[in-house]
Amino acid sequence: MGSSIVQAIIDGVLTGGVYALMAAGLTLIFGVMDIINVAQGIFVILGAYLSYSLSVHAGIDPFLGLLITIPALFVVGIGVEWGFMRRLKEGDRTAMSILVTYAVSIVIEGVLNISFTVNYVQIHAWYVNRSVHLLGFYLPYIYVFGFVMAAVLLIALYALLYRTRFGASVRASLQDRTAARLVGIDVRRVSTISFGIGVAVTAAGGMVFGATNAFNASTSYDLISRLLAIVILGGLGSMGGALVAAVFMLVLEDVVAVAWSPIWATAVFFAALVVVLSIRPAGLFGRQVARAQ
Amino acid sequence: MSARRESGGAASPDAPAVPLGGSGRRRAAIGTAWIAFAAALIVFPVVFSNPTVTTIGVFTLVYMTSATAWNGFAGFSGYVPLGHAVFFGVGGYTLALVALHLKMAGGYAMFALVPLGGVAAAVIAVPFGLIALRTRRHTFVVITIAVFFIVQLLAFNLGFTQGSSGVQIPTPLWTAATFNDRFYYAALIVLALAVLVVWGIRRSRFGLQLLAIRDDEDRARGLGVKVQRVKLVGFVLSGVTVGMAGGIYAFFVGQVYPQFAFDPLFDVTVALMAFFGGLGTISGPLLGALLLEPIQQYLTLQYSVGSLYLIIYGALFLVVILAMPRGVIPTAGEYLQMRRARRVERADGRSPAATPSVEVAPLGRASR
């Protein structure tokens, strides 16, 4: 029992890293643009399907395929931002963004259902069903590789945000759009690129998700509710918060699944969110908003 | 911030620019339109007795009720809950489980259980609201989604809900030709109730308090509005109505399953309908549901295998949101107002009362 709980914690940390990456994209988009991107779930699935097609039809290794799928989703993100998000008016922006991204997501869901049917698929590679035996614990290769990849990408994202001029303008827009505009930052351009980056990371997350789970287009509902829960728990707009919340939630879920029952693991996942938010309405690391209007 | 205006009687007092006769005429026209609309809904199943059509009719009425009730809370308070399927499902399950345990045969008595679904929804709505309404904006939205998923999981896994196999509801032994009509009129009664409730809220002190919360919650509290209580009452009223709609829906469909009674699509669909027609108006959600639900049903029937309907539905929605971000009813209202203003301007070109047009015009672009 004790060792199986440790195993569950290890699994939770490893998968939590991948969720952290996907959630980081979502929270980046929210922070910069004040937009909740409900389509993030379907973008993950889109990324998974792209990796799946590349590996099935062209025989490209999923990790290598990321060199194609990440730029592809970056372009999709830019397109969605340019086509829809920037046409929303200030004011009702947040509420409208939920509707618009939801509409985008059902269009993509329809396209995916037609292109790939609704049968569940899973990405296969030599490392998907093998694990390494370490100190009495099993570490599936895909979890380890996925975690390392997520860590690398998160560090890259961190470096981009905190070590470059572009990152400085993103952070400025994150703090205050109007003030950022006043000091000469092209907030629109920053928004577009941030949206692109926020969507692009789902390609990597989606690849690992698709290799560890059987999925179809409607899996995106489950994904987006989890991602939203993570992002809100961490505090909207807080990268570090998303990271901590992702690992916390996934570890909690895996431990509950082992110690109690897998049936209730997901319920505990959402119950934890409700409990935390009843105590801290702004999330773990969210900025307390004095006047939320 | 200007309160979002509403098409209807409430519009006339703050539009002094329109000549008095015109205002009265307008009110009469709107009253006539409502009566005609109600009459059309009443005679609909008599004229179109095809069961396929009346089936769509029942679904449409259920969604009109739900969208109206959703808007009664969301449109007036500014909070956007995406978990109303909880109430819908609870209403359905209440009807199914009570019928099961009382060993009821299908019949008119079943309709008596519909209000019971509303009561059960209220029992759920109170703790739900107490937790969720402590938060605002995005956090509120996500909490309602989280509660929704918890309740759906409970329905899947608790013993008395019979898990994923769901609960069967006895089918009444009514003749096929008029089978749907009874459901249709029951749904129509619930819809009338919902519209009356929302209309009452809109015209009451309570409604003004909700609107004050929408415009600036902290200031409303400062002015003495008991914000938590007002929000909770609004939330529960909305939940009760949706619960009754859910009861009728379940009885009509004849069974409840966790994934259909607690459907994430329902959460979003009612919100889409309210936004589509015009948030915070009374006619908007009615129109939204009246247009969208039949389209959705038709597209589902037409392209039953493929997912083409998802694409068409989503694309249609994108176009409408981008072209009319405030919904059909407010946009149409503005358009009419602008035309009237121009007409008044032209007619009064030589009279001294030419100024009104100046006052009317800003109302036309009262967007925020």
Side-chain angles (χ1 to χ4, degrees):
Chain A
M1 189 69 197
S3 75
S4 62
I5 286 195
V6 176
Q7 177 75 54
I9 293 174
I10 294 172
D11 288 353
V13 171
L14 293 179
T15 42
V18 178
Y19 274 86
L21 180 65
M22 299 188 274
L26 189 58
T27 212
L28 173 71
I29 292 171
F30 170 80
V32 174
M33 302 172 69
D34 217 18
I35 274 176
I36 294 189
N37 176 24
V38 181
Q40 193 82 346
I42 200 78
F43 285 140
V44 171
I45 298 298
L46 182 62
Y49 269 123
L50 284 180
S51 291
Y52 173 78
S53 321
L54 284 176
S55 85
V56 169
H57 298 297
I60 298 174
D61 178 83
F63 276 98
L64 204 63
L66 290 182
L67 293 175
I68 302 169
T69 58
I70 290 181
L73 273 173
F74 181 73
V75 172
V76 169
I78 299 261
V80 169
E81 202 283 335
W82 184 84
F84 309 112
M85 306 323 291
R86 71 166 44 185
R87 288 166 214 286
L88 297 178
K89 297 204 174 60
E90 301 277 341
D92 287 336
R93 208 183 158 94
T94 311
M96 296 311 278
S97 74
I98 295 178
L99 297 178
V100 171
T101 51
Y102 178 73
V104 167
S105 103
I106 60 174
V107 171
I108 298 177
E109 185 186 345
V111 172
L112 288 178
N113 277 344
I114 289 171
S115 326
F116 294 96
T117 74
V118 293
N119 297 328
Y120 283 86
V121 296
Q122 190 165 356
I123 297 171
H124 287 291
W126 65 266
Y127 40 76
V128 164
N129 287 322
R130 289 198 211 169
S131 15
V132 53
H133 198 74
L134 198 73
L135 300 172
F137 299 109
Y138 285 97
L139 304 182
Y141 278 118
I142 181 68
Y143 282 20
V144 177
F145 290 177
F147 183 78
V148 171
M149 177 210 64
V152 168
L153 286 176
L154 279 169
I155 290 169
L157 195 60
Y158 178 85
L160 178 72
L161 288 178
Y162 286 87
R163 294 285 180 273
T164 64
R165 204 180 152 72
F166 170 74
S169 44
V170 169
R171 281 180 294 131
S173 318
L174 239 141
Q175 283 171 0
D176 192 327
R177 281 173 76 88
T178 318
R181 203 173 301 154
L182 280 175
V183 297
I185 293 169
D186 186 350
V187 175
R188 279 189 126 187
R189 197 174 129 259
V190 168
S191 299
T192 310
I193 296 176
S194 303
F195 199 91
I197 293 173
V199 172
V201 297
T202 60
M207 188 276 289
V208 180
F209 182 83
T212 48
N213 301 276
F215 63 94
N216 68 5
S218 56
T219 315
S220 63
Y221 290 101
D222 183 52
L223 259 171
I224 187 59
S225 50
R226 273 155 193 272
L227 291 179
L228 280 175
I230 288 168
V231 165
I232 290 280
L233 182 72
L236 268 170
S238 161
M239 289 285 185
L243 219 133
V244 174
V247 174
F248 170 73
M249 290 295 239
L250 269 293
V251 168
L252 179 71
E253 190 175 5
D254 281 353
V255 169
V256 170
V258 170
W260 186 12
S261 134
I263 295 174
W264 295 111
T266 317
V268 170
F269 182 98
F270 288 112
L273 173 77
V274 172
V275 169
V276 171
L277 290 184
S278 323
I279 302 163
R280 277 187 67 87
L284 292 175
F285 300 92
R287 277 175 296 174
Q288 214 77 33
V289 188
R291 281 174 67 104
Q293 197 63 45
Chain B
M1 195 173 296
S2 69
R4 225 170 296 172
R5 285 163 19 75
E6 177 212 327
S7 71
S12 353
D14 49 32
V18 181
L20 221 86
S23 159
R25 226 175 29 232
R26 184 151 165 258
R27 192 174 295 180
I30 288 170
T32 318
W34 276 104
I35 292 169
F37 181 59
L41 285 182
I42 291 170
V43 300
F44 178 81
V46 181
V47 180
F48 301 97
S49 53
N50 182 336
T52 314
V53 177
T54 46
T55 300
I56 295 180
V58 176
F59 286 139
T60 306
L61 286 180
V62 165
Y63 273 95
M64 283 164 87
T65 310
S66 306
T68 298
W70 187 86
N71 173 64
F73 173 70
F76 296 156
S77 74
Y79 281 75
V80 179
L82 290 182
H84 266 45
V86 167
F87 309 128
F88 197 71
V90 165
Y93 264 99
T94 305
L95 184 125
L97 289 173
V98 171
L100 181 76
H101 288 292
L102 297 183
K103 299 196 171 53
M104 291 173 76
Y108 288 106
M110 296 281 286
F111 284 121
L113 299 181
V114 169
L116 208 59
V119 173
V123 171
I124 300 289
V126 171
F128 186 174
L130 281 176
I131 295 170
L133 288 166
R134 285 167 49 90
T135 60
R136 291 187 191 179
R137 291 177 21 113
H138 324 87
T139 312
F140 174 79
V141 177
V142 174
I143 280 221
T144 55
I145 296 175
V147 171
F148 162 76
F149 275 103
I150 293 173
V151 174
Q152 191 199 40
L153 274 162
L154 289 176
F156 265 115
N157 298 320
L158 285 178
F160 72 91
T161 55
Q162 307 190 358
S164 52
S165 55
V167 186
Q168 298 293 318
I169 297 170
T171 313
L173 300 165
W174 296 330
T175 51
T178 58
F179 184 86
N180 288 346
D181 293 359
R182 301 150 211 244
F183 291 100
Y184 183 94
Y185 287 111
L188 190 59
I189 290 170
V190 177
L191 173 64
L193 207 74
V195 173
L196 277 180
V197 167
V198 173
W199 185 76
I201 290 177
R202 179 68 185 79
R203 296 190 69 90
S204 68
R205 189 182 146 77
F206 173 70
L208 287 176
Q209 291 175 331
L210 275 178
L211 287 176
I213 289 172
R214 181 180 74 186
D215 286 344
D216 190 333
E217 181 162 344
D218 295 302
R219 191 167 294 162
R221 194 207 313 263
L223 290 171
V225 177
K226 302 228 174 352
V227 288
Q228 286 303 336
R229 190 188 304 167
V230 170
K231 286 190 294 185
L232 186 64
V233 171
F235 190 70
V236 172
L237 273 180
S238 160
V240 168
T241 319
V242 173
M244 299 198 337
I248 293 197
Y249 178 86
F251 185 23
F252 183 56
V253 174
Q255 58 213 355
V256 281
Y257 295 115
Q259 63 268 46
F260 293 124
F262 299 103
D263 184 358
L265 268 175
F266 177 89
D267 289 330
V268 196
T269 306
V270 287
L272 290 189
M273 286 165 173
F275 270 99
F276 186 93
L279 201 63
T281 66
I282 292 174
S283 48
L286 292 175
L287 185 79
L290 194 60
L291 290 175
L292 290 182
E293 183 59 20
I295 291 179
Q296 192 175 12
Q297 291 285 342
Y298 174 78
L299 290 176
T300 319
L301 288 177
Q302 199 74 4
Y303 308 105
S304 50
V305 270
S307 296
L308 207 55
Y309 91 91
L310 280 177
I311 301 177
I312 297 173
Y313 195 66
L316 178 81
F317 204 79
L318 276 175
V319 170
V320 171
I321 287 186
L322 293 174
M324 294 182 276
R326 302 198 308 110
V328 173
I329 293 281
T331 311
E334 277 165 23
Y335 174 75
L336 288 178
Q337 193 120 29
M338 227 125 91
R339 269 189 43 180
R340 193 175 313 116
R342 232 172 273 139
R343 212 170 49 222
V344 169
E345 199 172 357
R346 240 180 285 129
D348 295 356
R350 49 205 151 68
S351 77
T355 36
S357 60
V358 184
E359 278 184 55
V360 172
L363 290 175
R365 46 176 176 78
S367 72
R368 303 199 282 159

